[in-house]
Amino acid sequence: LNALLKHANSGKAAKISRKTIYTLGIIDRRLRVLKALAAKAMGFIVICDRYYFDDIVHYQSLPKDQKSIARAIAYGWIGIYPDITFYLKINAKNAYQRKQDYDFQTMVETVSNYNKVLPEQKNVIVLDAMNDKAEITSTIYKKIYNLCAL
């Protein structure tokens, strides 16, 4: 998908509409969680990070005219949830220092959307990313152990 978008936007090929880019991006993200969905459907325990809910967060940020197809894709698999999803909550400033894929204002909006949407989702454990790594790791291990304990 990235190669296609780079080629399409290089000026050497026909431009791709913004709506098409959003739709392809959403499909690409959904394909990333297909393995988790299949494992869950087969009865396996599924543990994820925030990526499982990226489409719902992304949907929240779209302009109104781009929400119709995005909604169908983003919410199409609701009802199948990981057994646990870990979300490491971080503020926009620290997130931007770690990852600068877009401008700071976009980071502020993205972090705000994650902080609003993720805690409302089923089986999401919110952890403060600024806590000590050993403390975060210990909490994750305990949650997984409790989930897998017979």
Side-chain angles (χ1 to χ4, degrees):
L1 179 63
N2 282 333
L4 171 68
L5 295 176
K6 283 180 185 177
H7 179 70
N9 293 319
S10 69
K12 299 175 185 174
K15 292 283 185 191
I16 297 177
S17 74
R18 195 162 180 80
K19 189 173 186 177
T20 301
I21 290 170
Y22 278 123
T23 303
L24 290 173
I26 290 168
I27 291 169
D28 180 56
R29 282 190 300 279
R30 281 287 87 181
L31 290 174
R32 287 188 235 160
V33 300
L34 192 56
K35 289 180 185 178
L37 293 169
K40 186 69 178 168
M42 291 186 289
F44 290 96
I45 292 173
V46 175
I47 301 167
C48 293
D49 63 8
R50 68 167 175 80
Y51 294 117
Y52 187 87
F53 294 102
D54 275 358
D55 292 329
I56 295 171
V57 173
H58 178 71
Y59 170 80
Q60 300 293 327
S61 66
L62 290 177
K64 220 175 195 179
D65 67 327
Q66 296 172 4
K67 285 192 172 188
S68 59
I69 187 78
R71 180 172 176 73
I73 295 169
Y75 289 90
W77 290 334
I78 295 301
I80 303 175
Y81 295 93
D83 295 283
I84 293 181
T85 299
F86 292 103
Y87 171 52
L88 296 172
K89 185 177 180 179
I90 192 167
N91 64 48
K93 180 182 175 187
N94 287 324
Y96 189 70
Q97 288 173 347
R98 295 179 185 185
K99 183 177 179 181
Q100 297 176 5
D101 289 352
Y102 30 78
D103 63 82
F104 182 70
Q105 184 55 40
T106 302
M107 180 64 77
V108 169
E109 292 166 9
T110 301
V111 168
S112 175
N113 284 337
Y114 274 102
N115 290 341
K116 180 174 64 174
V117 172
L118 267 284
E120 298 172 352
Q121 303 305 314
K122 185 176 181 181
N123 302 333
V124 172
I125 308 294
V126 179
L127 302 168
D128 186 344
M130 301 310 292
N131 284 348
D132 178 67
K133 288 180 186 179
E135 179 184 337
I136 293 169
T137 303
S138 175
T139 301
I140 290 171
Y141 284 156
K142 287 176 187 173
K143 297 288 185 185
I144 293 172
Y145 179 81
N146 290 338
L147 177 67
C148 296
L150 299 176

